Amino acid sequence: MVKIQNLTKYYGEIKAIEDVSFNVSKGEILGFLGPNGAGKTTTMNILTGYIPSTSGTVRVDGYEIMEEPREVKKRIGYMPELPPLYMDMTVTDFLDFCSALKEVDKKEWKSQKDDIMELVKITHVRHRLIRNLSKGYRQRVGLAQALVGAPDVLVLDEPTVGLDPKQIIEIRKLIKALGKNHTIILSSHILPEVSAVCERVVIINEGKIVAIDKPSELSKNLGDYSRFTMTIAGPEKKVKELLQQIYGVKYIEVQSNIKDDEYSYIIEADKDLDIRRPVFHKLAEVGYPILELKSLSLSLEDVFLQLTTEEKEVN
Amino acid sequence: MLAIWKREVQAYFYQPIAYVLIGLFFLVSSIFFTLGTVAGGYAEMNYLLSNVTFILIFVIPILTMRILTEDRKNGTEVLLVTSPASVTQIVLGKYLASFTVFLVMFASTLIYTAILYILGGKPEVPMLIGGYTGFLLLGACFTAIGVFASSLTESQIVSAIISFVFLLIVNLIDAIASFLGGFFAKVLDMFSLLSRYNDLNSGIFDITSIIYYLSFTAVFIFLTTRVIDKRRWSQG
């Protein structure tokens, strides 16, 4: 549905993004993740046709943004970080204006209008001036604006910024629901948000893509070793010795003494080796029972930090 | 384009600004009409019209100062630019909205013509038509300058000052030209909106003046689209 290839953008001398490429298939919710200033908004601005790129192509439904901007723009609903609202209009007037601006057929708009307002729950404030709405409601009107004309692709730039926790959960639910009928590209610097909502994640740092994968895969595949916590009954020294003999174990740390001779350990081992069975057999031989064993996968947070800070060290 | 025009005209009239400006314009023109035309006993509108062009120097910058600056400041520019409308359509919609408010002012002067007839005055029809045509075209040019100025900055005040200075220069250009004389005078005369206006206002219908005004307006609208496009290229 959306194909982005080798997108590069310079602001004068400053390189904002470099060689950004990714695809989004129809009906997918793609998370666009990165620290502040990584180039998320720049990418989204280019993709929606707000600013032109220095080089590279964006294709939406086969249309290229520079060659046929009208066709692309008709297919995209964009909600920038700061919702573009006219404060001096009421909600319905504003949405009517958006429908005319986006050249939505009048009959079609009539049938859509109530549904959209119902969906983002702004029906009861529809006659109020946008100026008088709270931040949460403005955000929703901003989202409603992006939905006008039922575009195939929704581009949402940090849709939950500045909302309270309850509103954040609501907006996330809403985005998930929208994902059934729309292709969604969503940017965020909040990790749980992305792992909660998105099917695939693009991580961008300093203008370059550092990873593209499913949230679960990202946390599994990254890191050079696998980690476990184990609680084992047995003398600390002896257990440590035994564990060290197992092939693939790289690092053992005693985390805490739970009671008497029950200790919990953190063990890191080679990524490709499953050490759980050898550990079981080894300890069973000497009669030290494993009371608890848990595989620790890296959280998306760890992945993110690892990816975005590694980059710095290289530089 | 129509959507933008409609929204902007509504925005003018939802806020006090259009009423204040039209009121101001009406007040000043009525003073000229009463003291000049009626008290002076002139059976023509040209005196009034040439005087109120001076008011436009103040009125137009205030009228156009928010037309593009506000969109940049509130972020609504994103909405407009990412819609299927082209930059030219956006600027035209905005321009026509400002021009519409000017047209209301313009229409208010027709009342005086009616009063003139009621009072038994018999103004020369060609001069009347010439005067009104000139005034309309001059307003179109001034509005274009104002819209252009508002594309240059994010601040309404700065926008108003730029267009005010611009319009002031346009008004003084004849004086400067005649002071300098020779070659410079000829160059400056190319930018003289008022000398052509004075021709029209004297009932001299010259098609070149009309084309001049229309192309002047078109050039400034074009420059405005260039400014917006240029900014899209250079910054986010």
Side-chain angles (χ1 to χ4, degrees), chain B residues 1-235:
Chain B
M1 188 177 93
L2 270 180
I4 295 170
W5 171 79
K6 192 177 153 207
R7 195 217 92 79
E8 291 300 332
V9 172
Q10 276 174 352
Y12 271 128
F13 286 99
Y14 281 159
Q15 286 163 358
I17 180 153
Y19 301 102
V20 171
L21 288 177
I22 293 168
L24 178 77
F25 180 84
F26 197 63
L27 175 75
V28 174
S29 55
S30 70
I31 291 171
F32 279 120
F33 180 70
T34 319
L35 298 184
T37 313
V38 178
Y42 298 113
E44 43 106 347
M45 289 297 291
N46 305 74
Y47 167 79
L48 168 76
L49 288 173
S50 67
N51 274 310
V52 290
T53 54
F54 191 66
I55 302 306
L56 291 182
I57 298 176
F58 303 98
V59 169
I60 297 289
I62 300 170
L63 182 68
T64 55
M65 67 181 183
R66 51 156 281 280
I67 199 88
L68 288 166
T69 51
E70 206 185 41
D71 284 294
R72 265 177 87 187
K73 215 170 182 181
N74 295 342
T76 37
E77 193 183 65
V78 186
L79 177 71
L80 301 177
V81 174
T82 59
S83 79
S86 67
V87 173
T88 310
Q89 286 174 318
I90 295 168
V91 173
L92 270 179
K94 297 271 185 184
Y95 171 80
L96 289 176
S98 292
F99 189 64
T100 304
V101 180
F102 169 78
L103 280 182
V104 176
M105 292 182 200
F106 171 83
S108 75
T109 60
L110 295 174
I111 297 171
Y112 303 125
T113 311
I115 295 174
L116 200 63
Y117 272 103
I118 292 166
L119 290 178
K122 288 192 175 53
E124 296 265 352
V125 175
M127 277 187 75
L128 205 60
I129 294 172
Y132 273 118
T133 313
F135 188 63
L136 203 60
L137 291 169
L138 199 65
C141 290
F142 281 13
T143 310
I145 291 172
V147 170
F148 172 69
S150 83
S151 75
L152 297 174
T153 161
E154 238 177 81
S155 153
Q156 297 195 8
I157 304 287
V158 174
S159 154
I161 292 170
I162 293 173
S163 46
F164 173 70
V165 169
F166 213 121
L167 293 178
L168 203 62
I169 292 171
V170 163
N171 268 268
L172 294 176
I173 215 159
D174 287 332
I176 300 169
S178 68
F179 174 73
L180 289 173
F183 173 72
F184 290 106
K186 270 188 184 162
V187 174
L188 286 177
D189 186 57
M190 289 196 281
F191 297 95
S192 171
L193 291 168
L194 284 184
S195 67
R196 287 166 182 84
Y197 170 70
N198 290 333
D199 286 353
L200 278 169
N201 206 22
S202 329
I204 305 167
F205 248 101
D206 189 351
I207 193 77
T208 55
S209 318
I210 294 169
I211 292 170
Y212 173 83
Y213 280 123
L214 293 179
S215 25
F216 190 96
T217 306
V219 165
F220 270 88
I221 289 173
F222 175 72
L223 286 178
T224 311
T225 65
R226 296 321 298 157
V227 169
I228 293 174
D229 265 337
K230 160 85 176 48
R231 209 176 42 237
R232 284 173 64 213
W233 278 97
S234 61
Q235 28 175 300

Side-chain angles (χ1 to χ4, degrees), chain A residues 1 47-49 60-61 63 65 68-78 99-105 108 112 145-154 182, chain B residues 81-85 89:
Chain A
M1 190 74 199
L47 150 72
T48 53
V60 176
D61 214 3
Y63 296 101
I65 182 87
E68 287 163 290
R70 260 179 73 88
E71 293 302 323
V72 174
K73 286 170 179 178
K74 270 185 187 173
R75 284 167 174 77
I76 294 185
Y78 183 28
S99 78
L101 185 69
K102 295 181 182 183
E103 298 166 17
V104 182
D105 182 67
E108 205 177 302
Q112 273 177 20
Q145 163 274 125
L147 292 172
V148 167
D152 296 332
V153 182
L154 286 179
H182 299 83
Chain B
V81 174
T82 59
S83 79
Q89 286 174 318

Side-chain angles (χ1 to χ4, degrees), chain A residues 55-253:
Chain A
S55 67
T57 56
V58 175
R59 280 181 184 281
V60 176
D61 214 3
Y63 296 101
E64 215 286 318
I65 182 87
M66 301 291 276
E67 287 159 13
E68 287 163 290
R70 260 179 73 88
E71 293 302 323
V72 174
K73 286 170 179 178
K74 270 185 187 173
R75 284 167 174 77
I76 294 185
Y78 183 28
M79 176 172 140
E81 195 176 344
L82 177 73
L85 306 170
Y86 282 109
M87 297 296 164
D88 54 0
M89 295 175 102
T90 64
V91 174
T92 41
D93 281 350
F94 176 68
L95 293 178
D96 286 341
F97 164 69
C98 290
S99 78
L101 185 69
K102 295 181 182 183
E103 298 166 17
V104 182
D105 182 67
K106 268 193 183 137
K107 264 188 198 157
E108 205 177 302
W109 172 236
K110 251 188 185 165
S111 66
Q112 273 177 20
K113 191 175 167 183
D114 291 335
D115 293 342
I116 289 177
M117 286 200 287
E118 202 57 52
L119 192 66
V120 299
K121 299 198 181 106
I122 50 172
T123 311
H124 60 292
V125 294
R126 64 185 184 280
H127 294 307
R128 285 174 61 180
L129 284 178
I130 294 172
R131 180 199 311 284
N132 299 332
L133 295 180
S134 68
K135 170 98 183 143
Y137 275 107
R138 286 184 192 179
Q139 201 83 2
R140 287 179 207 200
V141 179
L143 192 56
Q145 163 274 125
L147 292 172
V148 167
D152 296 332
V153 182
L154 286 179
V155 179
L156 313 173
D157 196 358
E158 312 225 344
T160 57
V161 142
L163 300 181
D164 66 41
K166 194 169 161 258
Q167 293 169 327
I168 289 179
I169 292 168
E170 278 176 15
I171 293 269
R172 275 186 208 159
K173 263 190 202 159
L174 183 59
I175 291 169
K176 272 208 149 172
L178 289 170
K180 284 172 194 146
N181 301 317
H182 299 83
T183 304
I184 299 180
I185 300 173
L186 166 130
S187 87
S188 181
H189 61 267
I190 307 161
L191 297 145
E193 179 162 295
V194 168
S195 42
V197 176
C198 301
E199 292 146 23
R200 221 151 51 95
V201 181
V202 173
I203 298 183
I204 186 171
N205 188 43
E206 293 182 354
K208 288 179 202 155
I209 289 185
V210 288
I212 306 181
D213 216 328
K214 288 179 185 156
S216 53
E217 291 294 313
L218 269 179
S219 30
K220 225 188 267 171
N221 294 345
L222 276 148
D224 305 323
Y225 37 76
S226 50
R227 298 169 89 195
F228 302 92
T229 61
M230 294 185 192
T231 308
I232 299 164
E236 181 197 340
K237 241 187 170 171
K238 195 85 208 274
V239 170
K240 242 182 150 174
E241 244 179 63
L242 286 167
L243 290 173
Q244 244 145 16
Q245 290 165 15
I246 292 163
Y247 179 69
V249 171
K250 283 269 147 69
Y251 174 77
I252 304 165
E253 185 195 313

